[in-house]
Amino acid sequence: MSTQPAAAAATATGGRPQPPARSGGAAALGWILTIGLNVVAPILTYNALRDHGWSEFGALLASSAWPVLDSAVMVAWRRKVDEFALVTLVFIVITAVVSLVGAHTARALLVKDSAVTGLFGALCLATLLAPRPLMFYFGRKFATDGTPESTAWWNGLWQFEGFRRTMTVMTTVWGVAYLAEAGVRIVLAYVLSTDTMVVLSPVMIYGVLGALGVWTALYGKRSAAEGERRAAAAAAASTGG
């Protein structure tokens, strides 16, 4: 499915093409693999290795094997590279590199954690210079079931200016938010006690993530509705003309 059929469908409906029917089984299996190999397995591996005396760097490096496996599974299964797994791998590698830098005191480790989220924010902003920003690939992971039809539908949306603007705005907001969150946590790491920051730091991390998730969902729906309204108005004006 190319962008030409997508454009034809958009013209016929007065807006963006509708997504193909999702395969519940394929979507469920894809999410099990994604969450299992990119989130659960790395965390369990890291904690188990740390309990057995591995260094922070060694445990992080070993846990990065799981996203690599996820990418290999996706290539073998769907004949394509999973950008979500690649980003996860990059994030783990960044964390491993940052863990090697500087002192290893409790405060230094808190600052390093903040630096990692800050680097992720910088990565988001850096992809604005790429052909497609980071949230385009994250959105494709969440909005499709990974089948060729749904992937082609999502890729075809890139031809629409409103869709491109939405992906750019989302990527910008995520990048700026994580840079700001990292900056605030670094300052607080020096202002507050370590005991306080051990509790506050994860609250800030997941709080920002949750807030961004809610904002992204609401903004995406509003942008889609606005695009449909503009398309309908344009179609009505064309018919009236």
Side-chain angles (χ1 to χ4, degrees):
M1 180 177 178
S2 65
T3 57
Q4 282 79 12
T11 301
T13 60
R16 296 177 184 174
Q18 296 300 307
R22 300 187 66 173
S23 169
L29 180 58
W31 273 109
I32 290 172
L33 287 173
T34 296
I35 300 301
L37 296 178
N38 289 279
V39 180
V40 178
I43 291 175
L44 292 178
T45 300
Y46 174 81
N47 290 333
L49 293 178
R50 288 289 287 160
D51 289 342
H52 283 78
W54 283 52
S55 67
E56 184 182 45
F57 175 77
L60 282 168
L61 195 60
S63 66
S64 67
W66 292 108
V68 174
L69 177 60
D70 184 36
S71 294
V73 169
M74 293 301 297
V75 170
W77 181 20
R78 291 175 175 159
R79 307 299 182 188
K80 69 182 184 69
V81 176
D82 185 2
E83 294 86 356
F84 186 89
L86 290 180
V87 171
T88 302
L89 177 60
V90 169
F91 193 75
I92 290 175
V93 171
I94 289 174
T95 304
V97 171
V98 170
S99 70
L100 287 177
V101 179
H104 289 76
T105 63
R107 177 168 281 111
L109 290 175
L110 289 170
V111 171
K112 290 176 184 180
D113 285 343
S114 303
V116 169
T117 56
L119 287 172
F120 176 74
L123 176 63
C124 287
L125 297 181
T127 63
L128 295 174
L129 302 176
R132 298 182 184 183
L134 186 60
M135 285 302 125
F136 171 84
Y137 300 104
F138 274 34
R140 188 170 67 186
K141 186 69 177 180
F142 283 90
T144 73
D145 58 9
T147 58
E149 294 77 16
S150 62
T151 299
W153 161 74
W154 182 264
N155 292 343
L157 294 177
W158 188 253
Q159 66 185 299
F160 299 103
E161 189 275 334
F163 179 80
R164 296 195 299 271
R165 183 176 62 251
T166 297
M167 294 298 104
T168 299
V169 170
M170 285 181 177
T171 303
T172 302
V173 170
W174 276 69
V176 171
Y178 268 111
L179 281 175
E181 182 266 353
V184 170
R185 278 204 294 140
I186 289 174
V187 171
L188 291 179
Y190 288 99
V191 173
L192 302 178
S193 68
T194 299
D195 289 343
T196 301
M197 280 304 298
V198 166
V199 176
L200 181 60
S201 186
V203 171
M204 292 182 64
I205 293 174
Y206 292 109
V208 170
L209 178 61
L212 284 172
V214 171
W215 173 84
T216 299
L218 294 176
Y219 178 72
K221 290 181 180 179
R222 187 181 67 183
S223 296
E226 183 180 342
E228 291 175 359
R229 285 196 299 269
R230 286 198 301 264
S238 176
T239 302

